[in-house]
Amino acid sequence: MSVNTIGAEMRSKSADSLPGVLPDVSPITGPAIDLYEDGYNDPVYQAKARILNRAIQDIGMGRYQWYLFVVTGFGWFADSVWPLLSGLILTPVVNEFHFNGPFLSLASNIGLLVGAVFWGLGCDIWGRRWSFNVTLFIAGIFGLASGGAPSFVALASLIAMVGVGVGGNLPVDSAVFLDFVPGSHQYLLTVLSIWWCLGQLLSSLIAWPLIANYSCASASDCTKSDNMGWRYLLLTLGGITLFLWVVRFFIFTLLESPRFLSGIGRDADAIEIIHKLAKFNGTTSPITLEELEAPDRAVSGGGSSSGESHKILSKSSKYDAKHIKALFATPKMAWSTSLLIAIWGVIGLASTLYNNFLPYLLSSRGAVFGDGSLYITYRNQVILSVIGVPAALLAGWAVELPYIGRKGTLAIASGLTGAFLFATTTAQTSNQLLGWNCGYVFFSNIMYGVLYAISPEIFPAKDRGTGNGLTSTASRVFGVLAPIIALYANLATAIPVYIAGALVIFAGSLALLLPYEPRGKVSI
């Protein structure tokens, strides 16, 4: 029987009718219907994913998932700290090395782009564990090394290498977390963005005294000995990142994704992982290999077809276009994937253009208002970072609201983010500018929290790393364009702000067109 024939027969009946697939009920969102309830192009995989989802839901939200919430949060932390760093160190580095500022952001975003492509697509090839452990190590090592950079070229090169590691964190870590969290707790993927906010806060708190007290006052006669603040900052954050890697690698043991293993035909290994998860959480799971192989028998006339399944499903376990094609397998999936890529790209362009130069903008605008000192600039940055913490918690609550869900929260937050960006152009004093920026940061953190969650929730696990990689790549590509635009734009005018605000509002409207709403549904 051909694969196409099997798919046609399987789609003709509900996957819930397959052995071992029972409906789950969440105390929060009710019956757990999977996101592809109207059909998926690989019904055998869908049926197996439902069986594994049921097993994980029965095990419940236990110790392993809460530990995972912490160690995957390190990826959000790194993704916040290192891209933000280009803006935090921009003024003192330009004073010392005398270069055009946007080139530093360009180097960082090129590295982030490479990391998103390589690690995002790669974790669907060789699994999650290697990518999960190596990305943070790369960021920490090169982050430490960048603190000793003797020139701008060396600094830009090292920062780019940091980006290669950091760029893989969110695509991989969101896939890892979603692979193990019960369907009733998928909203925690949105709450994970609190680590992003904590990264902003910590880096700003460290930068405030270091940059303010150990930096040259101006570009004239700015020597290394008088300008050590940015180096101390890089060394400190590089050391913290390396410490987080040590916790991940030596203290926490990551289990391989059971849905990834089943997707490449390793059903026995997937069952073993489920039992290890249950044991770690202090419980047991009744799932058996026979139960997981039931969908194979359903399409092979009752006989075991694990060997054939292994051959069919493992063909995609190599670096080719199969994982990408799977995300465009049906018109509905193609529309969804295309919209997500567009949303990430548009927001990536708008936010990177504004965020990377936020300290510079605050400083330059403050100078006009008469209070543009480094102390005021970094004090304001700390205030803005604190604002993001409650935003992450609010986002986790909002995505579970009836009639609003992920799409509505993303659209509303994007619209308000754009509105506050527009409002910054009306500021007449430094404090007014800070106030408008507080509103912008609050709603942009909600926007990003939902965006980081809705994409991996929509993508199926066997192609989730690739999907995350594609969306992150779109964001990074436009992130590379942002500093190029800044090289030729006048940042002292309000024009870049108007453009950024309009783009963010447009991205929010695109979110309403997504054909899938993950609220109340379980990802496969």
Side-chain angles (χ1 to χ4, degrees), residues 138-183:
I138 293 174
I141 287 293
F142 284 99
L144 276 174
S146 62
S151 65
F152 167 69
V153 173
L155 176 64
S157 301
L158 291 168
I159 289 294
M161 287 305 301
V162 171
V164 172
V166 171
N169 273 288
L170 282 183
V172 175
D173 292 5
S174 59
V176 165
F177 186 74
L178 202 55
D179 283 343
F180 284 99
V181 71

Coordinates of all heavy atoms in Angstrom, one line a residue, residues 138-183:
I138 N 28.2 28.2 23.2 CA 28.8 29.1 22.2 C 28.7 30.6 22.6 O 29.6 31.4 22.5 CB 28.2 28.9 20.8 CG1 28.6 27.5 20.3 CG2 28.6 29.9 19.8 CD1 27.9 27.1 19.0
A139 N 27.5 30.9 23.0 CA 27.2 32.3 23.4 C 28.1 32.7 24.6 O 28.6 33.8 24.6 CB 25.7 32.4 23.8
G140 N 28.2 31.8 25.6 CA 29.0 32.2 26.7 C 30.5 32.4 26.4 O 31.1 33.3 26.9
I141 N 31.1 31.4 25.7 CA 32.5 31.5 25.4 C 32.8 32.7 24.6 O 33.8 33.5 24.9 CB 32.9 30.2 24.6 CG1 32.9 29.0 25.5 CG2 34.3 30.4 23.9 CD1 34.0 29.1 26.6
F142 N 32.1 33.0 23.5 CA 32.4 34.1 22.6 C 32.0 35.4 23.3 O 32.6 36.5 23.0 CB 31.8 34.0 21.3 CG 32.5 33.0 20.4 CD1 32.0 31.7 20.3 CD2 33.6 33.3 19.7 CE1 32.7 30.8 19.4 CE2 34.3 32.4 18.9 CZ 33.8 31.1 18.8
G143 N 31.0 35.4 24.2 CA 30.7 36.6 25.0 C 31.8 37.0 25.9 O 32.1 38.2 26.0
L144 N 32.4 36.0 26.6 CA 33.6 36.3 27.4 C 34.7 36.9 26.5 O 35.4 37.8 26.9 CB 34.1 35.0 28.1 CG 33.4 34.6 29.4 CD1 33.9 33.3 29.9 CD2 33.7 35.7 30.5
A145 N 35.0 36.2 25.4 CA 36.1 36.6 24.5 C 35.9 38.1 24.0 O 36.9 38.8 23.8 CB 36.3 35.7 23.4
S146 N 34.7 38.4 23.8 CA 34.4 39.8 23.2 C 34.8 40.9 24.2 O 35.0 42.0 23.7 CB 32.9 39.9 22.8 OG 32.1 39.8 23.9
G147 N 34.8 40.6 25.5 CA 35.2 41.6 26.4 C 36.7 42.0 26.3 O 37.1 43.1 26.8
G148 N 37.5 41.2 25.6 CA 38.9 41.5 25.4 C 39.2 42.0 24.0 O 40.4 42.1 23.6
A149 N 38.2 42.3 23.2 CA 38.4 42.7 21.8 C 39.3 44.0 21.7 O 39.0 45.0 22.3 CB 37.0 43.0 21.1
P150 N 40.3 43.9 20.9 CA 41.3 45.0 20.7 C 40.9 46.0 19.7 O 41.4 47.1 19.6 CB 42.6 44.3 20.3 CG 42.1 43.1 19.5 CD 40.8 42.7 20.2
S151 N 39.9 45.7 18.9 CA 39.5 46.6 17.8 C 38.0 46.4 17.5 O 37.4 45.4 17.9 CB 40.3 46.4 16.5 OG 40.0 45.0 16.0
F152 N 37.4 47.3 16.7 CA 36.0 47.1 16.3 C 35.8 45.9 15.5 O 34.8 45.1 15.7 CB 35.5 48.3 15.5 CG 34.2 48.1 14.9 CD1 33.1 47.9 15.6 CD2 34.1 47.9 13.5 CE1 31.8 47.7 15.0 CE2 32.9 47.6 12.9 CZ 31.8 47.5 13.7
V153 N 36.7 45.6 14.5 CA 36.6 44.4 13.7 C 36.5 43.1 14.5 O 35.7 42.2 14.3 CB 37.7 44.3 12.7 CG1 37.6 43.0 11.9 CG2 37.6 45.5 11.7
A154 N 37.5 43.1 15.5 CA 37.5 41.9 16.4 C 36.2 41.8 17.2 O 35.6 40.7 17.4 CB 38.7 42.0 17.3
L155 N 35.7 43.0 17.8 CA 34.5 43.0 18.6 C 33.3 42.5 17.7 O 32.5 41.7 18.2 CB 34.3 44.4 19.1 CG 33.0 44.6 19.9 CD1 32.9 43.7 21.1 CD2 32.8 46.1 20.3
A156 N 33.2 43.1 16.5 CA 32.1 42.7 15.7 C 32.1 41.2 15.3 O 31.0 40.6 15.3 CB 32.1 43.6 14.4
S157 N 33.3 40.7 15.0 CA 33.4 39.3 14.7 C 32.9 38.4 15.9 O 32.2 37.4 15.7 CB 34.8 38.9 14.3 OG 35.2 39.7 13.2
L158 N 33.4 38.7 17.1 CA 33.1 38.0 18.3 C 31.6 38.1 18.6 O 31.0 37.1 19.0 CB 33.9 38.4 19.4 CG 35.4 38.1 19.3 CD1 36.2 38.8 20.4 CD2 35.6 36.5 19.4
I159 N 31.0 39.3 18.5 CA 29.6 39.5 18.7 C 28.8 38.7 17.7 O 27.7 38.1 18.1 CB 29.2 41.0 18.7 CG1 29.8 41.7 19.9 CG2 27.7 41.2 18.6 CD1 29.2 41.3 21.2
A160 N 29.3 38.6 16.5 CA 28.6 37.8 15.5 C 28.5 36.3 15.9 O 27.5 35.6 15.7 CB 29.2 38.0 14.1
M161 N 29.7 35.8 16.4 CA 29.7 34.4 16.9 C 28.8 34.2 18.1 O 28.2 33.1 18.2 CB 31.2 34.1 17.2 CG 32.1 33.9 16.0 SD 31.4 32.7 14.8 CE 31.3 31.2 15.8
V162 N 28.7 35.2 19.0 CA 27.8 35.1 20.0 C 26.4 34.9 19.5 O 25.6 34.1 19.9 CB 27.8 36.3 20.9 CG1 26.6 36.3 21.9 CG2 29.1 36.4 21.7
G163 N 26.1 35.6 18.4 CA 24.8 35.6 17.8 C 24.5 34.2 17.2 O 23.3 33.7 17.2
V164 N 25.5 33.5 16.7 CA 25.3 32.2 16.1 C 24.8 31.2 17.2 O 23.9 30.4 16.9 CB 26.7 31.6 15.5 CG1 26.5 30.2 15.1 CG2 27.1 32.5 14.3
G165 N 25.3 31.4 18.4 CA 24.8 30.6 19.5 C 23.4 31.0 20.0 O 22.5 30.2 20.1
V166 N 23.3 32.3 20.2 CA 22.0 32.9 20.7 C 20.9 32.7 19.7 O 19.7 32.4 20.1 CB 22.2 34.4 21.0 CG1 20.8 35.0 21.4 CG2 23.1 34.6 22.2
G167 N 21.2 32.8 18.4 CA 20.1 32.7 17.4 C 19.4 31.3 17.4 O 18.3 31.2 17.0
G168 N 20.0 30.3 18.0 CA 19.4 29.0 18.0 C 18.6 28.7 19.3 O 17.9 27.7 19.4
N169 N 18.7 29.6 20.3 CA 18.1 29.3 21.5 C 16.6 29.2 21.5 O 16.0 28.2 21.9 CB 18.5 30.4 22.6 CG 19.8 30.0 23.3 OD1 19.9 29.1 24.1 ND2 20.9 30.7 22.9
L170 N 15.9 30.3 21.0 CA 14.5 30.3 21.0 C 13.9 29.2 20.1 O 12.9 28.6 20.5 CB 13.9 31.7 20.6 CG 14.0 32.7 21.8 CD1 13.4 34.0 21.4 CD2 13.3 32.2 23.0
P171 N 14.4 29.1 18.8 CA 13.8 28.0 18.0 C 13.9 26.6 18.6 O 12.9 25.8 18.6 CB 14.6 28.1 16.7 CG 15.1 29.4 16.7 CD 15.4 29.8 18.1
V172 N 15.0 26.3 19.3 CA 15.2 25.0 19.9 C 14.4 24.9 21.3 O 13.7 23.9 21.5 CB 16.7 24.7 20.1 CG1 16.9 23.4 20.8 CG2 17.4 24.7 18.7
D173 N 14.6 25.9 22.1 CA 14.1 25.8 23.5 C 12.6 25.8 23.5 O 12.0 25.1 24.4 CB 14.6 27.0 24.3 CG 16.1 26.9 24.5 OD1 16.7 26.0 24.0 OD2 16.7 27.7 25.3
S174 N 11.9 26.6 22.6 CA 10.5 26.5 22.6 C 10.0 25.2 22.1 O 8.9 24.7 22.7 CB 9.9 27.6 21.7 OG 10.4 27.5 20.4
A175 N 10.7 24.6 21.2 CA 10.3 23.2 20.8 C 10.5 22.2 21.9 O 9.7 21.3 22.1 CB 11.2 22.8 19.6
V176 N 11.6 22.3 22.6 CA 11.9 21.4 23.7 C 10.8 21.5 24.8 O 10.3 20.5 25.3 CB 13.3 21.8 24.4 CG1 13.4 21.1 25.7 CG2 14.4 21.3 23.4
F177 N 10.4 22.7 25.2 CA 9.4 22.9 26.2 C 8.1 22.4 25.8 O 7.4 21.7 26.6 CB 9.3 24.4 26.6 CG 8.4 24.7 27.8 CD1 8.9 24.3 29.1 CD2 7.2 25.2 27.6 CE1 8.0 24.6 30.2 CE2 6.4 25.4 28.7 CZ 6.8 25.1 30.0
L178 N 7.7 22.7 24.6 CA 6.3 22.3 24.1 C 6.3 20.7 24.0 O 5.2 20.2 24.1 CB 6.0 23.0 22.8 CG 4.5 23.1 22.4 CD1 3.7 23.7 23.6 CD2 4.4 23.9 21.2
D179 N 7.4 20.1 23.7 CA 7.4 18.7 23.6 C 7.1 17.9 24.8 O 6.7 16.7 24.8 CB 8.8 18.2 23.0 CG 8.9 18.5 21.5 OD1 7.9 18.7 20.9 OD2 10.1 18.4 21.0
F180 N 7.2 18.6 26.0 CA 7.1 17.9 27.3 C 5.9 18.4 28.1 O 5.5 17.8 29.1 CB 8.4 17.9 28.1 CG 9.4 16.9 27.6 CD1 10.4 17.4 26.8 CD2 9.3 15.6 27.9 CE1 11.4 16.5 26.3 CE2 10.3 14.7 27.4 CZ 11.3 15.1 26.6
V181 N 5.5 19.6 27.9 CA 4.5 20.2 28.7 C 3.1 19.6 28.4 O 2.8 19.4 27.2 CB 4.5 21.8 28.6 CG1 3.9 22.2 27.2 CG2 3.7 22.4 29.7
P182 N 2.3 19.3 29.4 CA 0.9 18.8 29.1 C 0.1 19.9 28.4 O 0.3 21.1 28.5 CB 0.3 18.6 30.5 CG 1.5 18.5 31.4 CD 2.5 19.3 30.9
G183 N -0.9 19.4 27.6 CA -1.7 20.3 26.8 C -2.4 21.4 27.7 O -2.6 22.5 27.2

